[in-house]
Amino acid sequence: MKTMRWSTSAKLFARAQKILPGGVDSPVRAFKAVGGDPLFIRSAKGARLTDVDGNSYVDYVMSWGPLIHGHAPAGLVRLIAETAKSGTSYGAPTESEVLLGEKVRSMMPSMERVRFVSSGTEATMSAIRLARAATGRDRIVKFEGCYHGHADPFLVKAGSGATTLGAPTSPGVPRKAVQHTLLASYNDLASVERLCDTNRHQIAAVVVEPIAGNMGVVAPADGFLAGLRELCDRHGMLLVFDEVISGFRASRGGAQQIWKITPDLTCLGKIIGGGLPVGAYGGRADLMEYVSPAGPVYQAGTLSGNPLAMAAGLWSISRLSKPLYTRLARLGRMLATGLAEAAREAGVPLQVNAHGSLLTPFFTSGPVRDYRTALQSDSAQYAAFFRGMLTRGIYPPPSQFEAWFLSAAHTEADVRKTIRAAKAAMKEARGAE
Ligand code: HOZ
């Protein structure tokens, strides 16, 4: 094992902390949950990251999901450079928005109309504004441990970075901003039914990650999504799928295609921008007609439908194919099995939740099916494991509660190397108890 030096990253982090809060622009990146200084990245290609000290890693963060084709695919890089020659932003309509919108609808038919925005956070906050306007109701149901970006109404028992850093409900969110947010338990239809009974005719929407990816990966239990659809129909609520992670990653048509559920509205991000900043919300045409300027629900953005992001998104989703998903699922199974075996050999309790190219190894002995069971995980042991992986040239997410992402650029050799590293890192993690 090569000894890694991280002195340049450490120096940059010291400087960064004097200008950026916590030294970063998004909290989980600071490595607070796993210890040590964050790595500053110099470049990336395929499945590999290279840090500013020249160390190279097999990357399982992959920009938190968008890079299903790997880092910097040559065709995409050429396209972005070519597109930029014609200008990088106009604040006026372009053909590329129409093309990407039509492509999204052809792959995800519930998206009868689409509005492009610049992030998943914008998509979800706009979708609930629309749901409230369309139903004339204020309350929304969200699930504990699901993360829908950082807009105020969603920052209650939020997953992802909020959970990672131990503040799932953020200060600075006025009580009034979350007074209409009702919390249910993921994979527990009865908890939603109870809310429906006690809030009759007051709930605008049920918002859910159809495959939870922000408390770690948790797939929906049999009947859970269909049950939500049925409850929404029965109670006049809209069903909003947050497919920012699962969209175009779980399958070409997202989780909604796999489970054959038609949500009223869907939020997208990540893959539809091919690694450039993008988000989108869309769904039933009659609902989307409420959105300004077709209707009265206001929402706008200077960089919305940005031509570089549209071109990258179109490139990215046009290259999704059945063989790609089959290959990713095979690599996902190989990695999940290898991590489980490494844990067994080391005598470390581990549950690996995997779905296609997404997975999370939870350091716990019981099955993880919701936020409560995810929180049973031993985060300290994950942190020790993470550090052991890093020193062996593997870059997993710096949090127990995030998803690992595979890409077309990962190879079986990468996965084998990862499993070898995991075998050693698990033993160290056990020793760190
Ligand atoms: N917690 C975010 C992903 N679910 C991290 C985003 C980032 O740091 O880029």
Side-chain angles (χ1 to χ4, degrees):
M1 188 171 79
K2 178 174 137 218
T3 312
M4 293 214 179
R5 286 184 210 293
W6 290 311
S7 53
T8 316
S9 272
K11 278 186 208 135
L12 267 176
F13 189 47
R15 262 175 72 195
Q17 288 176 90
K18 295 191 178 129
I19 178 68
L20 310 171
V24 291
D25 281 311
S26 190
V28 180
R29 297 177 196 179
F31 281 23
K32 270 187 128 170
V34 287
D37 291 339
L39 303 184
F40 281 65
I41 304 306
R42 186 173 66 203
S43 63
K45 183 78 186 156
R48 290 278 190 295
L49 279 181
T50 303
D51 68 19
V52 286
D53 288 286
N55 304 305
S56 158
Y57 309 85
V58 179
D59 185 15
Y60 289 101
V61 173
M62 299 307 290
S63 187
W64 305 96
L67 308 181
I68 195 160
H69 301 292
H71 287 281
L76 178 60
V77 172
R78 266 196 311 274
L79 176 72
I80 293 172
E82 219 26 65
T83 308
K85 285 185 192 158
S86 306
T88 55
S89 179
Y90 313 116
T94 63
E95 186 185 13
S96 59
E97 293 158 81
V98 181
L99 293 175
L100 183 58
E102 288 172 349
K103 186 73 185 168
V104 167
R105 181 174 56 194
S106 73
M107 292 167 74
M108 201 177 259
S110 75
M111 299 287 271
E112 294 171 354
R113 297 281 186 281
V114 185
R115 165 60 61 88
F116 290 108
V117 292
S118 297
S119 69
T121 292
E122 266 188 82
T124 52
M125 80 184 192
S126 308
I128 59 158
R129 182 180 303 144
L130 168 58
R132 285 168 164 165
T135 57
R137 300 172 177 183
D138 286 339
R139 301 195 179 165
I140 56 164
V141 172
K142 89 170 267 293
F143 293 88
E144 293 172 352
C146 280
Y147 179 70
H148 306 290
H150 58 86
D152 283 355
F154 292 120
L155 279 187
V156 197
K157 292 217 179 171
S160 192
T163 290
T164 300
L165 301 175
T169 304
S170 176
V173 174
R175 213 162 355 114
K176 287 217 157 139
V178 290
Q179 67 183 347
H180 299 306
T181 304
L182 308 170
L183 289 173
S185 182
Y186 196 78
N187 274 332
D188 179 0
L189 276 178
S191 71
V192 185
E193 260 184 291
R194 278 193 296 278
L195 292 174
C196 294
D197 288 342
T198 46
N199 296 271
R200 279 190 181 272
H201 310 299
Q202 297 179 77
I203 303 176
V206 174
V207 186
V208 67
E209 290 179 84
I211 299 172
N214 284 294
M215 51 178 130
V217 174
V218 182
D222 280 350
F224 177 59
L225 298 175
L228 291 181
R229 180 66 275 177
E230 198 273 317
L231 277 175
C232 283
D233 291 342
R234 185 156 21 116
H235 292 275
M237 312 177 296
L238 299 181
L239 181 60
V240 181
F241 273 9
D242 178 343
E243 293 227 48
V244 168
I245 288 182
S246 57
F248 307 112
R249 181 164 276 283
S251 77
R252 281 184 98 241
Q256 53 194 268
Q257 181 185 50
I258 298 175
W259 279 278
K260 298 186 174 51
I261 307 293
T262 307
D264 299 293
L265 294 172
T266 297
C267 300
L268 297 171
K270 302 202 188 266
I271 288 178
I272 51 155
L276 272 71
V278 89
Y281 64 105
R284 275 171 40 197
D286 62 315
L287 294 172
M288 292 302 288
E289 287 298 310
Y290 281 87
V291 177
S292 185
V297 177
Y298 197 70
Q299 180 271 306
T302 298
L303 291 171
S304 294
N306 174 266
L308 295 186
M310 296 295 102
L314 199 53
W315 186 95
S316 203
I317 67 172
S318 300
R319 278 157 184 76
L320 299 172
S321 65
K322 210 159 177 234
L324 171 63
Y325 290 107
T326 308
R327 180 170 175 277
L328 289 176
R330 188 164 44 76
L331 286 181
R333 277 192 304 274
M334 186 178 159
L335 181 55
T337 310
L339 291 174
E341 188 185 302
R344 241 187 338 270
E345 282 179 11
V348 169
L350 192 82
Q351 298 289 321
V352 188
N353 281 9
H355 197 282
S357 59
L358 290 166
L359 65 89
T360 300
F362 290 96
F363 282 74
T364 179
S365 51
V368 176
R369 59 186 316 272
D370 55 20
Y371 190 48
R372 190 184 56 77
T373 43
L375 289 180
Q376 302 298 312
S377 308
D378 185 337
S379 297
Q381 211 168 44
Y382 181 84
F385 167 72
F386 170 87
R387 290 192 298 273
M389 294 297 270
L390 215 54
T391 55
R392 291 174 174 83
I394 312 291
Y395 189 91
S399 160
Q400 168 67 95
F401 304 107
E402 298 280 4
W404 296 38
F405 295 94
L406 283 154
S407 78
H410 287 82
T411 61
E412 285 192 15
D414 291 330
V415 173
R416 276 195 298 274
K417 174 177 168 157
T418 307
I419 295 168
R420 275 196 306 277
K423 290 191 175 184
M426 290 277 181
K427 289 185 185 132
E428 282 170 10
R430 188 197 52 205
E433 273 179 301

